[in-house]
Amino acid sequence: MTLFWIASGLLTLLLALVIILPLTRGRAESSHSRNQLNTRLYRQRLQELEQDRDLGLLDEGESAAQELQKSLLDDVVPETRQEYRHGIWLWLPAVLIAVAVAYAGYWQLGAYPKVVQWQDNTARLGELSRKVLVDPDGEVTEQDMMDLIQSLRTKLHRDGDDFRGWLLLGRLTLEMRDGETARDALEKALKLTDNPDMVIVPYAEALTMTGEALRAENLIKQVLARNPDNLEAWSVFAFMALQQDNLTAAIARWQQILQRMSPDSPRYAMIERSVAFAEQRLAETDQAPVTGPRFEVEVNTASAVPYHPGAALFVYAVDASGGEMPLVARRIERPSFPLTITLSNADAMVAGNNLSGRDAVVIKARIAPSGNVTDATDAWEGRSGVLSTGEDSQLSIFIDTPL
């Protein structure tokens, strides 16, 4: 903040000089230039009088010269200190008004209150940590969480090698459902630890929030293969299934938690209620488990692709042997790139006509400014190579071809 006030003071001084110098210099130079002009005219006229006298054209040369000197004295503008002191009242109000408008404008329209709040939160990191993490009570609010996240990010900006700080930031932002910030923080924590299993589970949860479900699921499976009793991993694994609306898988994973958890645990009853709710929904919908291949697709665009506010992104798979009818498809309104989505049989356009019925597919990504996938006006597209449906895959598609 000190640097801000120094910089703003220097800018204000520069503004004052821009106002003052032309006014004061203008007055001094104006009188000085007028006196120089009168002097040059006097000398020029005096030279002409001498020439006329030498030629005998002027009889009363001395009298004419005296009159000329008198005229010069009358035209000379006196340069006194009093004139300059009067000039202060010309530029001082302008400087004061400029300074007042600048600082009042910043106070009203700038971010000064937010800067003060940020500095206050930074100084209260210890207090906020105790309030939210050590001695939480019913008075902990969402604003307290946001203040703690802000102060922690400031600390990590200064000390970027704090593994526990990055891990804490990732978990806090997960709780606030900020998947992108959590993913970035946990990626940094992964680079700083020798025990990645502490970070992989929350990192997988962040990946699920940002659309990278297939990658997240693979990470969780690796953790469970090393440690089948990791209850946090099973919990995130169940959440992934629930997010994909795969109730059968969610129930099975919650039951794995119940088998490994003491009935006296406060969470035991909560998970039992989750299982009962999912079983009820499953009975109502008679849902069959989603099977078949899944493709996790990362979509990005070339810089030449124009931005259209109302555009929609369509990501779909077609039979590699021919045909343009989509087998599975997803529509994303107002997409922001890069983004990652997962295509599976759950996205089938027609029941029974899906990925499992084909040996190979091609996945396409199309931006349609009209919002209609069949309208090629100003539309751009990208596509993958031929992909086997025999296994899950991760791939990237770059939209760079106009239609």
Side-chain angles (χ1 to χ4, degrees), residues 12-28:
T12 304
L13 177 60
L14 179 61
L15 176 62
L17 291 176
V18 169
I19 296 173
I20 295 170
L21 291 179
L23 293 176
T24 57
R25 186 180 299 170
R27 292 177 61 86

Side-chain angles (χ1 to χ4, degrees), residues 79-367:
E79 299 179 19
T80 64
R81 291 179 178 269
Q82 185 66 26
E83 291 291 337
Y84 179 74
R85 285 195 297 268
H86 287 321
I88 292 177
W89 302 109
L90 181 65
W91 56 259
L92 184 58
V95 171
L96 294 177
I97 291 173
V99 172
V101 169
Y103 282 98
Y106 174 74
W107 184 267
Q108 293 295 323
L109 305 176
Y112 182 75
K114 293 183 178 179
V115 172
V116 172
Q117 182 185 12
W118 162 59
Q119 290 185 321
D120 180 60
N121 291 339
T122 301
R124 294 171 57 226
L125 177 59
E127 175 191 339
L128 290 168
S129 299
R130 286 190 297 273
K131 181 177 182 180
V132 176
L133 303 174
V134 180
D135 299 316
D137 53 33
E139 297 181 358
V140 175
T141 64
E142 181 177 335
Q143 186 60 49
D144 292 330
M145 290 285 290
M146 297 300 296
D147 291 345
L148 175 57
I149 289 171
Q150 185 184 58
S151 60
L152 183 58
R153 292 182 71 171
T154 302
K155 177 183 180 298
L156 291 171
H157 177 73
R158 298 169 181 168
D159 180 15
D161 295 332
D162 185 356
F163 154 70
R164 296 189 178 279
W166 287 116
L167 178 59
L168 176 59
L169 178 62
R171 289 189 176 277
L172 289 173
T173 48
L174 274 178
E175 196 167 331
M176 299 302 293
R177 315 308 296 171
D178 184 355
E180 292 187 2
T181 302
R183 179 196 60 198
D184 295 343
L186 293 167
E187 281 179 350
K188 293 178 180 178
L190 273 173
K191 295 176 182 178
L192 296 170
T193 182
D194 296 328
N195 184 12
D197 281 0
M198 292 180 59
V199 186
I200 286 178
V201 174
Y203 180 55
E205 186 177 355
L207 291 176
T208 303
M209 289 184 184
T210 57
E212 300 177 69
L214 186 57
R215 183 183 173 198
E217 188 170 317
N218 290 336
L219 290 173
I220 291 295
K221 288 178 179 178
Q222 293 172 17
V223 172
L224 291 174
R226 293 190 293 269
N227 181 11
D229 295 329
N230 189 322
L231 297 184
E232 185 184 10
W234 279 114
S235 180
V236 173
F237 207 21
F239 168 75
M240 293 177 183
L242 191 65
Q243 192 176 49
Q244 297 166 10
D245 207 25
N246 189 345
L247 297 176
T248 303
I251 291 170
R253 294 166 187 176
W254 277 323
Q255 288 174 341
Q256 291 287 340
I257 297 175
L258 292 176
Q259 293 173 14
R260 293 169 168 81
M261 182 181 290
S262 170
D264 297 331
S265 171
R267 292 186 58 201
Y268 194 91
M270 181 183 68
I271 295 175
E272 280 188 322
R273 289 194 297 270
S274 298
V275 171
F277 174 76
E279 287 176 339
Q280 181 181 355
R281 278 191 57 195
L282 189 61
E284 292 172 353
T285 60
D286 192 24
Q287 182 192 81
V290 178
T291 60
R294 288 186 298 163
F295 298 99
E296 187 174 284
V297 187
E298 182 184 38
V299 184
N300 208 342
T301 62
S303 58
V305 178
Y307 171 74
H308 295 278
L313 171 68
F314 297 88
V315 183
Y316 56 97
V318 298
D319 194 336
S321 62
E324 289 296 319
M325 177 61 69
L327 303 172
V328 295
R330 294 279 300 275
R331 174 191 174 110
I332 296 93
E333 300 285 349
R334 296 182 293 277
S336 177
F337 299 99
L339 58 81
T340 303
I341 66 170
T342 302
L343 286 178
S344 67
N345 286 340
D347 304 306
M349 302 293 292
V350 179
N353 185 26
N354 53 36
L355 298 171
S356 298
R358 302 294 189 276
D359 294 328
V361 295
V362 174
I363 297 180
K364 300 181 180 181
R366 177 180 296 184
I367 295 179

